[in-house]
Amino acid sequence: MTKPRLFRLWLALGSVFMILLIIVYWDNVGTAHFYLHTAVSRPHSPGPLPTSGQDPEKALAADVDEFLEKLLSAGTKQNILASKKTEQPAPSVSGRPVLGNMEESVRGYDWSPRDSQQNLDPAERQAERRSVLREFCANASFVFPAKERSFDDIPNYELNHLIVDDRHGVIYCYVPKVACTNWKRVMIVLSESLLDQGVPYRDPLDIPREYVHNTSTHLTFNKFWRRYGKFSRHLMKIKLKKYTKFLFVRDPFVRLISAFRSKFELENEEFYRKFAVPMLQMYSNHTSLPASVSEAFSAGLKVSFSNFIQYLLDPHTEKLGPFNEHWRQVHRLCHPCQIDYDFVGKLETLDQDAAQLLRLLKVDKNLHFPPSYRNRTASSWEEDWFAKIPLAWRQQLYKLYEADFVLFGYPKPENLLRD
Ligand SMILES: *[C@@H]1O[C@H](CO)[C@@H](O)[C@H](O)[C@H]1NC(C)=O
Ligand SMILES: *[C@@H]1O[C@H](CO)[C@@H](O)[C@H](O)[C@H]1NC(C)=O
Ligand SMILES: *[C@@H]1O[C@H](CO)[C@@H](O)[C@H](O)[C@H]1NC(C)=O
Ligand SMILES: *[C@@H]1O[C@H](CO)[C@@H](O)[C@H](O)[C@H]1NC(C)=O
């Protein structure tokens, strides 16, 4: 080979390599395996590395982040809400607010002024929720555990509730007891992650329940490490920046009632053994308990709501491990001060929020959110449920869930917190 030809070959190879490098950072998905093999070649920083007295790994990570920041600030994803607002007139929910669920409207459900969001149009309602969230995340006098840590400091196993759909660029943080079965179904349909005889599911309701809750069905952030190795955090950050992120929340106390009803009032073998047995032993002095939940139920041995609250307040409980996801605080599941959610849905306005979200994701033509038909726990029952719980416990419980109340704009339940 002649010298000029060799030179041209090197030039061509070099260009291809640079382009590939950009693709790897830009569109990480299909090139995931390539990612691993290029671990040695990183984008060069414009200046020298700021290594003085710093961990070189950290400096490098910061460097890569800066590179990504620049790359991404070219602005691929606009704020869906901002861009949509001009495009599309608000759906005409003219006049009276429409309540999605009859139960939520019975017996004077207390929509405080804060939640008078019922009257706002959907885009304004989102803007309001997100601004409340941002305001309290930024407010230094409002504190709760782990509030101030950065996204990098969140361990992988705490990112196991973030489900990613690369096909549409959507990230959903699932919160158990907040319509999560149906939203997981929607994520399966969107990402085509589950096949029915070789064909992806098209209707969320066709997906069998046992598949919906099988963690191996979903691509979650905590699995990134295994797939993408040391670049997984950078990849997460790219996706967090480019994708539309949403979650659904609900009144924290009503969520607790709902968790109690479904896990301890219905026969559930797993929750009986793991949680009901220790609760009955510790808080009701039962020494010998039946091995199965059906035997226990026939013998009239059930955890009371008061046992459950006592368990939540017991300082020993979390020494053994974090709260089960059904009663773990939403801010601990979804990290709303570290992740800038684009859409905050609420169960209290589920039907409108679901329709709005699917419209924003531009998937509303083919996809409908499954209607909720079950007897949903209503806020109006709250006082009945808490009637037998001592005032001091109710106040402690509020403290325990206060961050969720405040961040998501739920009014403090004053009527439960005084005599
Ligand atoms: C910040 O939070 C504190 C405590 O919750 C509250 O009293 C205060 O009004 C908040 N400040 C702003 C500016 O919202
Ligand atoms: C979840 O799915 C995987 C793979 O399809 C399967 O091997 C596993 O048994 C399932 N787990 C449960 C609890 O159903
Ligand atoms: C359980 O037993 C202990 C000791 O026998 C007693 O002090 C306590 O009051 C009992 N608690 C309940 C809830 O019955
Ligand atoms: C829903 O369930 C609650 C408590 O289990 C019950 O009191 C209520 O009557 C039920 N409502 C309907 C409409 O079934």
Side-chain angles (χ1 to χ4, degrees):
M1 247 191 270
T2 63
K3 256 193 176 170
R5 278 189 69 182
L6 205 64
F7 177 72
R8 275 213 299 277
L9 183 69
W10 277 112
L11 204 64
L13 276 178
S15 315
V16 167
F17 183 72
M18 283 311 289
I19 290 166
L20 278 177
L21 202 66
I22 288 168
I23 290 172
V24 164
Y25 279 111
W26 185 261
D27 191 357
N28 40 72
V29 184
T31 50
H33 298 293
F34 182 70
Y35 219 99
L36 283 176
H37 302 307
T38 52
V40 283
S41 50
R42 299 190 182 93
H44 298 292
S45 68
L49 287 175
T51 43
S52 53
Q54 239 185 358
D55 179 357
E57 277 276 321
K58 273 209 167 150
L60 195 62
D63 222 37
V64 176
D65 283 343
E66 195 189 327
F67 173 78
L68 291 175
E69 189 70 30
K70 279 194 190 128
L71 201 62
L72 291 166
S73 60
T76 44
K77 180 179 138 281
Q78 298 145 348
N79 185 327
I80 48 164
L81 293 160
S83 61
K84 263 295 193 174
K85 202 175 169 184
T86 46
E87 252 171 60
Q88 198 176 335
S92 53
V93 187
S94 53
R96 286 168 42 76
V98 179
L99 279 178
N101 189 302
M102 282 304 290
E103 282 161 53
E104 304 287 357
S105 64
V106 296
R107 290 223 281 126
Y109 179 67
D110 173 32
W111 297 104
S112 84
R114 224 193 176 132
D115 239 62
S116 60
Q117 299 178 343
Q118 280 287 311
N119 296 313
L120 298 178
D121 85 62
E124 284 173 26
R125 188 155 64 195
Q126 277 308 313
E128 163 81 19
R129 287 178 190 169
R130 294 182 64 219
S131 98
V132 168
L133 188 53
R134 273 199 302 264
E135 178 194 319
F136 282 102
C137 286
N139 182 341
S141 31
F142 175 66
V143 286
F144 56 86
K147 183 192 179 194
E148 299 299 340
R149 69 182 168 177
S150 73
F151 179 74
D152 286 323
D153 295 331
I154 303 175
N156 272 320
Y157 61 83
E158 283 189 37
L159 297 172
N160 62 344
H161 281 241
L162 292 155
I163 299 179
V164 182
D165 162 33
D166 287 317
R167 295 182 76 249
H168 298 81
V170 182
I171 294 173
Y172 164 49
C173 181
Y174 72 91
V175 178
K177 304 320 298 169
V178 191
C180 95
T181 307
N182 281 336
W183 282 111
K184 282 180 177 176
R185 289 192 154 113
V186 168
M187 291 303 282
I188 291 172
V189 170
L190 289 181
S191 60
E192 303 189 349
S193 58
L194 196 65
L195 304 181
D196 179 22
Q197 294 165 352
V199 184
Y201 284 97
R202 291 271 162 248
D203 182 350
L205 284 177
D206 289 344
I207 306 168
R209 208 184 157 81
E210 62 267 28
Y211 292 134
V212 175
H213 290 296
N214 186 331
T215 53
S216 65
T217 306
H218 304 279
L219 172 58
T220 43
F221 265 11
N222 59 318
K223 296 181 184 167
F224 274 40
W225 174 255
R226 218 165 53 218
R227 287 192 179 203
Y228 307 113
K230 65 192 293 189
F231 280 93
S232 51
R233 281 289 153 145
H234 302 302
L235 198 50
M236 287 178 203
K237 284 189 208 163
I238 296 176
K239 294 189 185 207
L240 285 173
K241 188 128 192 171
K242 286 173 74 183
Y243 290 6
T244 303
K245 304 157 293 292
F246 76 97
L247 81 169
F248 271 76
V249 298
R250 137 184 240 184
D251 180 292
F253 277 4
V254 181
R255 178 167 166 247
L256 288 179
I257 298 170
S258 176
F260 176 79
R261 287 179 67 204
S262 72
K263 300 302 170 196
F264 300 111
E265 286 204 327
L266 305 175
E267 293 191 4
N268 183 315
E269 206 63 59
E270 185 199 344
F271 278 75
Y272 172 73
R273 268 193 243 126
K274 256 198 196 154
F275 301 105
V277 167
M279 283 184 211
L280 289 168
Q281 285 169 342
M282 279 187 292
Y283 311 129
S284 295
N285 279 353
H286 289 289
T287 43
S288 66
L289 286 158
S292 81
V293 65
S294 54
E295 286 172 79
F297 274 34
S298 5
L301 291 168
K302 274 190 184 182
V303 165
S304 67
F305 188 57
S306 157
N307 291 154
F308 177 55
I309 302 300
Q310 195 175 356
Y311 170 82
L312 296 176
L313 298 177
D314 191 333
H316 296 296
T317 301
E318 288 230 281
K319 292 215 174 98
L320 304 171
F323 276 172
N324 175 274
E325 59 175 12
H326 291 86
W327 45 85
R328 201 180 314 158
Q329 294 87 337
V330 177
H331 68 87
R332 292 170 67 193
L333 296 171
C334 295
H335 319 290
C337 290
Q338 285 80 15
I339 293 173
D340 184 18
Y341 285 95
D342 301 283
F343 189 95
V344 180
K346 291 194 172 180
L347 196 77
E348 292 83 356
T349 49
L350 177 63
D351 296 332
Q352 294 122 296
D353 289 353
Q356 186 195 2
L357 178 61
L358 296 182
R359 219 163 39 232
L360 293 169
L361 298 175
K362 300 195 172 69
V363 295
D364 56 321
K365 296 277 184 298
N366 315 315
L367 190 60
H368 297 283
F369 189 74
S372 42
Y373 48 86
R374 284 193 315 188
N375 186 353
R376 190 191 292 163
T377 305
S379 312
S380 48
W381 310 342
E382 225 176 15
E383 282 190 46
D384 299 342
W385 278 92
F386 282 98
K388 283 195 209 137
I389 308 297
L391 178 64
W393 289 13
R394 284 183 251 149
Q395 288 166 341
Q396 281 178 52
L397 193 69
Y398 177 72
K399 277 283 156 218
L400 199 55
Y401 287 86
E402 184 175 29
D404 280 1
F405 276 99
V406 173
L407 291 171
F408 299 110
Y410 285 100
K412 190 171 178 176
E414 301 284 1
N415 52 337
L416 297 178
L417 302 178
R418 53 167 186 253
D419 267 323

